[in-house]
Amino acid sequence: MSGYFSKLLLMPLALGLLSSPAMATPDVSSFYQWQAPVTAAPGTILRSEPLTASWLPADTGAAYRFLYSSTDGMQPKQHVAVSGYMLFPDGPAPKGGWPVVIWAHGTTGVADRCAPSWMGPRARDTAYLGAWLKRGFAIVATDYQGLGTPGVHPYLLYQPEAYSLLDAGRAILSQKNFPVRNTMLIVGQSQGAGATLGASWVFPHYAPELGIKAAVMTGLVTAIHQDHPQSEDANEKRYTTVSNMDPAFATLRLAGSDQAIHPETDPKTLLSEKGRIMFSVAEHGCLHDLFDKAKELHITKGEEMLAHDITAYDQDMDRYFELPDGHVTIPLFLGTGLADGMAGTKGQYDAAQALCRAGSTVQWHTYPGLSHGGAVNYSLPDSAIFVKDVLSGKAVPSSCGNLTPPGPVQDALPGIPFN
C-alpha cells in the first residue's frame, strides 16, 4: 500500500464522529445506527471507517464504509442517514483527481443485513467494479435509503433511490483530501439501473452542481410515463404488479415499497399464510433466501401470496415507480441481454423507445444469449467506448433511429461468466 493511502486511511478521525454509535441490531453493526437528528446538508459525511473485506477488488487502494446525510425520498422536507462505501484505485491519482463512478447496485433485499456495504457485493459486481477501478475511476456506492440504516427501504421507488445516489456523489466530493474531481458517471444494474435512470432525470434540478456526464445501465428495470402509450401493456407488469411478479420480488415490493408508501398499513394483513411466511423471511433475509423459501413453499407467482385484492396498492406503486417523462439531459448507455428472463427484454425496449421519443440520447446494446447477470461484465468493452466518447467531448452515436423489438426471451448461452 502506498504512503498516500496509508495517510488516507487515517481520514475517519478527521471526518469526525458526530454521534456515538448505538447498540448493534441483529442484522448490522452499531456503525449503521445513527440516532441523532440528521440536520446536516444532503451529501455531508456523518461518519466513516476503513473498510477491509475479502471481496474488495484487487485494484483497490483504499476503501471506506460511511454514513452520509440525504433527502428523505418519501418526505422530502426531512433528512435521513444513508450508508455506503467508497473505493479508490491503487497508485497515485492523476492530476486533478480521479473521475468518479456513482454505483447503483441491483436488488439484494430490504433487510438491513442485505446492504452491500455490510455483506459485500456479489462476485459479478465485484468483478464489474474492479474493471471501473482499472479504468481509473474512484467509486462511491450507496446502499439506498433504509437499507442498512434505520427505516424502511423504499424498494424500486425512483425518487428516494435518486436522492441516495446523488447525495453519495456530493459526499465523495465534500472532502478535500479525497483525490477526486467533479467528473462523474452514474452506473447501475437492474434495480440500480432504474435508480440510475431516476438520478439522471432528477439531478439537473436536485444536484445541478454535480458534473454528471453520462449514465451506464444494464438490465434496466423501470417504467416511464407515457401520455399516449404505444400499446395497452407498454409497461412491464412484472416490475410493479404483485400478482404478476416473481414471489421473491413481490415480497420485497410488499415489505419495502408498500410499507414506505403506506406506513399506516401492515402489509401482512393482505397476505395468505404462505405470503406471511415469505414476508417474515424478507424482514431478516436477503433475495437468495426468498428464492429458496418460494421454492420450498412451491410458490411460482406473487398472486399465490395474496389474501385480498391489492389493485389500489398496485396503482400507488406505479405512481412512485414511474418516471414522469423520458427526457434525460445526459447520454445514456443501455445494455440488454436478450436472454434476460429476470427483468425481461420488452420492458427495456419500451424504456429505450420512450426515452428516444422524449429526445434523450440512448445508445442501446443488445447481447444475444446473455442473461440478466451475464450482460453486466460482457457489456464492459462497449461501455468503455461510450464513456471515452463522452469524456472526450465526441458526439455519442445514438440508437434511436434503429430500435428493433427484441422478440421472445432467448436461452442463455453456456460458458459465459455470471450467465
Side-chain angles (χ1 to χ4, degrees):
M1 182 177 290
S2 68
Y4 166 76
F5 284 116
S6 297
K7 294 178 182 178
L8 195 58
L9 284 172
L10 299 176
M11 284 196 58
L13 297 176
L15 297 180
L17 299 182
L18 304 187
S19 175
S20 299
M23 294 297 291
T25 70
D27 285 342
V28 291
S29 73
S30 59
F31 179 87
Y32 293 82
Q33 301 303 303
W34 187 264
Q35 299 297 317
V38 180
T39 57
T44 301
I45 294 178
L46 302 175
R47 62 169 165 247
S48 71
E49 63 182 15
L51 176 59
T52 56
S54 60
W55 63 261
L56 292 175
D59 292 280
T60 304
Y64 301 96
R65 178 185 291 121
F66 72 113
L67 297 188
Y68 62 101
S69 59
S70 186
T71 299
D72 185 331
M74 303 307 294
Q75 301 181 67
K77 293 184 179 180
Q78 299 182 21
H79 295 166
V80 292
V82 178
S83 56
Y85 61 90
M86 302 180 191
L87 307 178
F88 295 88
D90 200 4
K95 184 177 180 181
W98 284 295
V100 176
V101 160
I102 306 173
W103 167 243
H105 67 81
T107 299
T108 59
V110 297
D112 286 340
R113 65 180 288 261
C114 309
S117 71
W118 175 250
M119 73 172 187
R122 63 194 69 188
R124 179 202 69 198
D125 295 348
T126 298
Y128 188 68
L129 295 177
W132 286 100
L133 288 170
K134 285 183 179 180
R135 291 179 179 180
F137 287 84
I139 295 166
V140 60
T142 181
D143 291 328
Y144 307 132
Q145 177 178 333
L147 189 56
T149 47
V152 175
H153 171 43
Y155 177 60
L156 292 181
L157 308 188
Y158 83 88
Q159 187 163 279
E161 291 178 346
Y163 291 162
S164 293
L165 284 166
L166 297 171
D167 288 329
R170 284 169 162 164
I172 198 170
L173 293 177
S174 69
Q175 297 300 315
K176 297 186 183 299
N177 291 324
F178 287 153
V180 295
R181 66 177 185 263
N182 191 11
T183 300
M184 300 184 138
L185 307 173
I186 316 177
V187 180
Q189 152 69 5
S190 192
Q191 173 190 359
T196 293
L197 183 60
S200 300
W201 188 86
V202 165
F203 100 87
H205 56 85
Y206 178 73
E209 76 278 13
L210 295 182
I212 297 172
K213 306 301 182 185
V216 175
M217 299 166 285
T218 56
L220 176 62
V221 173
T222 195
I224 298 168
H225 179 75
Q226 301 175 62
D227 290 327
H228 304 288
Q230 298 299 297
S231 65
E232 291 183 2
D233 61 341
N235 289 329
E236 279 272 23
K237 297 302 182 186
R238 76 172 75 199
Y239 295 159
T240 60
T241 305
V242 165
S243 60
N244 294 94
M245 295 172 77
D246 172 276
F249 294 108
T251 305
L252 296 180
R253 203 209 88 171
L254 290 159
S257 319
D258 291 332
Q259 284 209 100
I261 297 170
H262 296 284
E264 75 288 349
T265 302
D266 180 359
K268 291 192 288 292
T269 62
L270 306 171
L271 302 179
S272 66
E273 181 180 353
K274 288 184 177 181
R276 289 192 294 273
I277 293 172
M278 290 288 289
F279 195 99
S280 67
V281 172
E283 291 179 306
H284 294 285
C286 297
L287 181 61
H288 63 277
D289 300 305
L290 289 166
F291 285 145
D292 292 344
K293 183 57 70 172
K295 185 175 181 180
E296 177 188 323
L297 296 174
H298 304 289
I299 306 173
T300 59
K301 283 190 176 182
E303 63 185 359
E304 299 171 60
M305 302 184 344
L306 298 174
H308 299 279
D309 177 70
I310 62 166
T311 301
Y313 278 68
D314 291 335
Q315 292 170 345
D316 288 341
M317 174 67 186
D318 285 341
R319 287 199 293 272
Y320 282 88
F321 174 70
E322 190 178 77
L323 275 184
D325 64 64
H327 181 64
V328 178
T329 59
I330 56 175
L332 304 172
F333 176 100
L334 174 58
T336 300
L338 294 182
D340 187 345
M342 186 170 287
T345 56
K346 179 185 178 301
Q348 298 183 62
Y349 169 75
D350 290 341
Q353 274 199 318
L355 290 163
C356 287
R357 282 197 297 270
S360 303
T361 298
V362 181
Q363 192 174 107
W364 189 33
H365 293 260
T366 57
Y367 302 103
L370 271 290
S371 68
H372 191 64
V376 179
N377 285 279
Y378 199 89
S379 67
L380 279 165
D382 291 326
S383 65
I385 296 169
F386 170 83
V387 169
K388 184 178 179 181
D389 285 347
V390 168
L391 297 185
S392 65
K394 290 184 180 179
V396 174
S398 174
S399 304
C400 288
N402 57 355
L403 295 178
T404 303
V409 174
Q410 301 174 359
D411 293 331
L413 293 171
I416 295 174
F418 312 112
N419 208 35

